Amino acid sequence: LQDPPEVIPDFLRRWEEGYEIVYQIVTARQGTGPIRRMNSWLFYVVANRLTEGRIPRNVSDFRLVDRRVYETINLMEERNRFVRGLFAWVGFRTTGVEAERQPRVAGTSGAHTLKVLDLAIKGIFAHSYLPLKVISIFGLTLSFLSVLALALIANLLAAALLAFTIFYYVVIYTMWLKRRTPQNIVIGGAAGALPPIVGCVAASGGVTLDSLTLFAIIFMWTPPHFWALALYTSDDYGKAGVPMMPNVAGAKSTRRQILLYSLLLAPLCVAPAFTGLGGRAYLGVSAGGAVVFLLLAWRLFRSRAGDAPGERNDGLYDVKAEARAARNLFAFSILYLTLLFATLLVEHLAGWPPLALLAR
């Protein structure tokens, strides 16, 4: 054991004195390298600056907690728990007992650098509003500068469309629609579908059939993409109060609507090959991808994904067997949309002619 069991009697004495949380204060870390110690010190400095000093320094998870504390912590619905921060946040009477941490005598630590960094980021974001404020200010600044740059470099119409797109996403979708209707991502999907039109107006000064076609592709792609994800994350949406389609209409209805939208999406994805925008490569990628997309949508329709709660484990793609059909469609939808636009870009850069020119 790295944490000495000899301090347990001291824990019990402090508990009998009325303290409800008694933790170990690590005075020395035997066998811990200087880089690890420096990273630990840096984390507590940054975390306590951002969280008003709520997280005690140099404490371990080796501690005694009263049953009231245990029951209070278990009532919390935190998914990514930073335990030391939670114990500090609940507000029970707390004290510490000093002890040295001994070197590990067997095995290796699972706390590698990336895992520790991930835990530190989650701990800071879970216990401070400051990162959210900084991100909000950064987002507003970036939005303003992007609209200004487009107005100066391209034209005012393109800048106005970009400003409307940002407003649509932040205000209409995120602040209004998201928590009010299960059609949130259908109506709000227009915000994510507008960039091709913005780009077309910036480049040509007007709206073309090709830009409208690309808008339609993204708009129709959005529902099956997000509803597939919602089928195996409905618990999270429910806890957050977001009325996604599986939470409101049920999993069976959602799977049916995903299939219907996929049937409408497939011909739209192939359409640019016949409007003079895409060439042979695009036709092959779009048609082949559409077949795979429809096959995955059909398998999802025939599955029982979303029928049972708790179908996701810790990771976004780590799901139980019954939810794999939803996970697979969600993952492929990202790849498919990326391939469609990447193929159009490659054809343009390579100078490959579209099918409309080849037919002449």
Side-chain angles (χ1 to χ4, degrees), residues 122-203:
K122 288 177 179 176
I124 292 173
F125 272 78
H127 295 275
S128 174
Y129 288 111
L130 184 58
L132 297 178
K133 292 178 180 177
V134 171
I135 291 171
S136 298
I137 294 172
F138 176 77
L140 289 171
T141 303
L142 190 62
S143 298
F144 172 77
L145 292 177
S146 62
V147 172
L148 179 62
L150 198 59
L152 296 175
I153 297 172
N155 54 69
L156 290 177
L157 180 57
L161 277 174
L162 177 59
F164 173 74
T165 301
I166 296 170
F167 174 81
Y168 196 113
Y169 184 85
V170 174
V171 179
I172 298 178
Y173 167 64
T174 305
M175 299 176 66
W176 180 42
L177 291 173
K178 197 168 190 178
R179 296 181 183 274
R180 283 175 170 79
T181 171
Q183 297 292 330
N184 45 22
I185 54 95
V186 178
I187 306 170
L194 277 171
I197 295 179
V198 176
C200 182
V201 172

Side-chain angles (χ1 to χ4, degrees), residues 2-15:
Q2 286 186 279
D3 297 309
E6 292 82 6
V7 301
I8 293 178
D10 294 330
F11 284 180
L12 291 171
R13 278 193 293 272
R14 297 298 177 87
W15 175 69

Side-chain angles (χ1 to χ4, degrees), residues 43-121:
F43 164 74
Y44 282 108
V45 169
V46 174
N48 284 323
R49 289 273 187 177
L50 298 180
T51 62
E52 301 176 358
R54 296 174 182 170
I55 304 174
R57 296 189 184 188
N58 298 321
V59 301
S60 71
D61 292 327
F62 181 45
R63 65 187 68 206
L64 179 150
V65 297
D66 188 88
R67 177 169 289 277
R68 288 204 308 149
V69 180
Y70 169 79
E71 291 174 349
T72 301
I73 294 292
N74 278 342
L75 288 174
M76 296 181 179
E77 296 183 349
E78 298 279 342
R79 188 175 188 92
N80 298 308
R81 295 192 168 195
F82 180 61
V83 177
R84 298 178 193 180
L86 289 178
F87 279 120
W89 182 79
V90 289
F92 291 91
R93 290 192 66 197
T94 305
T95 189
V97 174
E98 293 186 347
E100 290 188 9
R101 171 168 283 181
Q102 302 302 313
R104 185 184 295 270
V105 295
T108 58
S109 173
H112 52 79
T113 302
L114 291 179
K115 185 175 181 180
V116 172
L117 179 61
D118 180 64
L119 179 64
I121 293 173

Side-chain angles (χ1 to χ4, degrees), residues 77 79 230 232-242 247 312-313:
E77 296 183 349
R79 188 175 188 92
Y232 66 91
T233 58
S234 57
D235 289 351
D236 294 334
Y237 283 114
K239 291 176 182 178
V242 178
N247 302 80
R312 180 165 73 95
N313 298 321

Side-chain angles (χ1 to χ4, degrees), residues 18-46:
Y19 292 101
E20 294 158 299
I21 301 175
V22 186
Y23 49 73
Q24 174 186 281
I25 301 174
V26 181
T27 57
R29 301 175 184 269
Q30 303 294 333
T32 303
I35 295 179
R36 181 70 178 274
R37 290 198 298 270
M38 182 186 70
N39 289 340
S40 177
W41 172 84
L42 181 62
F43 164 74
Y44 282 108
V45 169
V46 174

